[in-house]
Amino acid sequence: MSASGVPDRLLEIMQCPACGGSLRDVGAPPSLVCTACGLRYPVTDGIPIMLVEKATPAGEGP
Amino acid sequence: MMDEVARHYGDGQLLDRILDAVTAAGIDPQELTVHDLASVDEFHIGGRRATRHLVEGAGLGSSRRVLDVGSGVGGTARYLAAAGGHDVVGVDLTVEYVETAAALSRLVGLEGSVEFQVADVMALPFERGEFDAAVQLHVGMNIADKQAAFAEVGRVLVEGGVFALYDIMGRADTDLEFPLPWAGGAAGSHLATADQYVGALEAAGFRVERVTDRRDFARSFFGELRERSGPPPSLGLHLLMGEEAPTRYGNMVKAVEAGAVAPVEIVARRG
């Protein structure tokens, strides 16, 4: 299991829905962060919320 | 459109309602099976029978990874994992459905073969060509730009990957009585005819292999529901649609029986 709680085999096939960039798995707060555009997608109880509208832009708090 | 769709379908206590109903039906939630949930976790017309017809006809057999677009509370995904041995990823816009799908899958011991996430079919969070097949059941009625959605599904499929869909179809200008199961009013409803679906699929790079009108199946399914005597089963669609369920469902039955709309299967392959 990854730091965010998203299963590794799922992480392997995922990308940023906004720009297609690869995702970095983050544990605190549980989230997936795009290495290209910086958008942070929250992960709640292991469930990634992969909506661009619900993501936090780079540089803003969690 | 996205928030509207999510709001239409979510209300906050869904898992509790399902588990209460499971208990009321005399089933220990700790011993719940995929079969026990069949009456509630697949809420397209015809339920599990319709799912089986779609996936068997589409020949999903050898597909390993399957994407379920608009997976709801996960019934179809669990069926595909349990009956077909597929690895399934389900996406849905409604957070509560996704949470419920994950919780029910854990309860029936399928957490290793089904995964769920909140995502929009218009911008899927997956790399190109990661899925061998995709399914979509009663989802297109909430999608305005079907060609763009199909192109996104095509992007994440392997070349030759099969896309099996089962939607309620009809003319966009059909005079319908609302609320319907997929929309409270005309603004949230995006009907298209089977011909328009085929056009959108082809424009999105698919070869359409088969179009099957399921109106007769739907009519006989509704007939069976009417003939069932006694009180409504404790596990039923009211759990998902709330107090308006009979009105919503009734309006849909009327529209199907009047010939205004019909459930249709389409099987296409990524060219």
Side-chain angles (χ1 to χ4, degrees):
Chain A
M1 194 62 79
S2 65
S4 65
V6 178
D8 290 327
R9 62 202 176 86
L10 201 51
L11 272 178
E12 282 166 20
I13 65 167
M14 290 178 68
Q15 67 173 27
C16 172
C19 76
S22 54
L23 298 167
R24 190 161 52 88
D25 177 55
V26 175
S31 48
L32 300 177
V33 179
C34 178
T35 56
C37 72
L39 279 180
R40 177 187 291 269
Y41 299 90
V43 176
T44 313
D45 297 330
I47 295 172
I49 314 289
M50 303 307 294
L51 302 175
V52 177
E53 294 80 357
K54 300 276 163 73
T56 316
E60 290 182 20
Chain B
M1 183 179 94
M2 198 188 73
D3 277 347
E4 221 173 276
V5 172
R7 252 199 317 275
H8 172 74
Y9 286 107
D11 86 336
Q13 296 107 27
L14 181 55
L15 181 63
D16 289 346
R17 283 205 303 277
I18 293 177
L19 293 183
D20 286 349
V22 162
T23 309
I27 300 160
D28 177 352
Q30 296 310 317
E31 305 202 349
L32 194 64
T33 67
V34 171
H35 174 74
D36 294 328
L37 287 170
S39 62
V40 69
D41 68 0
E42 296 204 62
F43 41 107
H44 42 270
I45 295 174
R48 185 139 303 163
R49 256 186 296 164
T51 311
R52 197 182 304 131
H53 189 273
L54 177 71
V55 302
E56 285 176 4
L60 286 194
S62 61
S63 307
R64 190 172 62 85
R65 260 184 217 270
V66 181
L67 174 68
D68 184 358
V69 176
S71 47
V73 297
T76 299
R78 282 186 293 275
Y79 170 76
L80 288 168
H86 308 284
D87 284 336
V88 189
V89 177
V91 297
D92 203 285
L93 276 179
T94 306
V95 175
E96 184 175 24
Y97 278 9
V98 173
E99 290 169 351
T100 305
L104 291 174
S105 301
R106 277 194 299 274
L107 275 175
V108 300
L110 279 174
E111 69 271 32
S113 39
V114 293
E115 304 290 348
F116 298 96
Q117 51 184 276
V118 181
D120 187 351
V121 65
M122 306 309 286
L124 290 168
F126 306 111
E127 292 169 8
R128 182 175 298 276
E130 289 292 350
F131 293 91
D132 304 305
V135 297
Q136 162 182 313
L137 292 91
H138 285 26
V139 170
M141 304 90 76
N142 290 114
I143 297 175
D145 188 348
K146 291 178 181 51
Q147 184 183 322
F150 296 158
E152 233 340 57
V153 172
R155 182 183 64 79
V156 303
L157 280 178
V158 293
E159 202 176 320
V162 69
F163 181 25
L165 67 86
Y166 176 58
D167 277 350
I168 294 175
M169 302 186 191
R171 291 163 54 104
D173 60 0
T174 300
D175 196 14
L176 295 169
E177 210 172 309
F178 288 92
L180 286 158
W182 64 89
S189 181
H190 301 283
L191 284 183
T193 63
D195 284 348
Q196 289 168 328
Y197 268 77
V198 169
L201 282 162
E202 287 175 349
F206 284 93
R207 288 192 315 274
V208 174
E209 294 187 337
R210 202 160 55 77
V211 178
T212 312
D213 191 315
R214 298 283 279 153
R215 186 189 308 276
D216 291 342
F217 164 73
R219 282 186 173 139
S220 68
F221 177 75
F222 296 149
E224 283 170 36
L225 290 184
R226 268 193 298 269
E227 279 165 24
R228 240 181 242 168
S229 54
S234 52
L235 277 168
L237 288 170
H238 57 281
L239 294 173
L240 297 161
M241 288 188 227
E243 286 172 7
E244 273 197 330
T247 314
R248 289 177 183 276
Y249 208 81
N251 285 339
M252 178 179 71
V253 171
K254 267 190 275 180
V256 171
E257 295 196 328
V261 299
V264 179
E265 287 180 3
I266 298 182
V267 177
R269 212 167 271 280
R270 206 200 116 186

